[in-house]
Amino acid sequence: DAPALAMVYKMVALNGAGLVAGTIAAFGPFRLDHLFHLELLWGVWVPGALLLVAEALRRRESRPACWAAVCVAAQFLSCIYFGVFLGTLVAAWVVLLMALRLVPADRHTARTVALMATIVGAVAVPYAIPYALNARELGGRTLEETATYSATLASYLTSPANSLVYGWTYARWGGN
């Protein structure tokens, strides 16, 4: 049966693409170079949060919304950087879902988003207070410092020269 065969082919192709993407994400130079930054390896909550947000808005139920908020809050607790990134991504995701008319832009959607934001805020705000106090006491980074320590494209393609697996990448592309 041609349609069934086409479906099996698509599943294999998608799983193969997922396998390749997962391998690159798990064993790429950037990832191996940051093994000592364990918090940067904790992006585990991102897929669940995005799926649960879409499900909560599609089904118009608060239970998946609460679980989505738990995923975002857990991301804040796992890695505050990724928590900030995920919060921004979830906001963009909600706007995209509404723009594509996959979820309605109505009061129920607004209430669901407010519920998620309240749950995340209850966890993230107390967690972020020491960071804010520390930044006030020590001062923030200047634009020059930010530029100096920011990643470049080469940063994602290289590891330090002393890396046994990817040391050759530093000589080839450099990095910071």
Side-chain angles (χ1 to χ4, degrees):
D1 183 49
L5 195 58
M7 187 175 76
V8 169
Y9 175 75
K10 284 181 183 178
M11 289 173 52
V12 169
L14 290 175
N15 288 335
L19 182 63
V20 170
T23 302
I24 291 169
F27 300 107
F30 178 78
R31 187 70 73 186
L32 289 179
D33 185 31
H34 287 86
L35 285 178
F36 57 94
H37 292 126
L38 290 179
E39 76 279 3
L40 294 179
L41 302 177
W42 272 90
V44 67
W45 304 105
V46 174
L50 295 176
L51 288 171
L52 286 163
V53 165
E55 191 67 8
L57 296 176
R58 186 184 66 79
R59 287 183 18 202
R60 305 178 72 74
E61 294 178 7
S62 59
R63 187 176 203 168
C66 291
W67 282 113
V70 166
C71 285
V72 176
Q75 188 61 70
F76 267 99
L77 296 175
S78 300
C79 176
I80 197 165
Y81 300 114
F82 286 0
V84 172
F85 298 154
L86 181 56
T88 305
L89 182 60
V90 165
W93 181 233
V94 170
V95 170
L96 178 65
L97 291 173
M98 288 188 300
L100 295 174
R101 299 181 194 269
L102 296 174
V103 298
D106 61 5
R107 284 187 181 155
H108 188 276
T109 299
R111 273 186 256 143
T112 302
V113 170
L115 171 65
M116 291 185 289
T118 301
I119 293 169
V120 171
V123 173
V125 169
Y127 186 68
I129 288 172
Y131 285 90
L133 294 174
N134 194 33
R136 188 180 311 155
E137 185 176 318
L138 298 175
R141 284 189 176 170
T142 65
L143 288 176
E144 292 79 24
E145 287 175 313
T146 302
T148 299
Y149 297 112
S150 291
T152 63
L153 180 59
S155 302
Y156 296 98
L157 301 173
T158 63
S159 285
N162 62 354
S163 169
L164 296 176
V165 177
Y166 289 113
W168 62 271
T169 61
Y170 190 83
R172 183 156 189 185
W173 294 301
N176 60 354

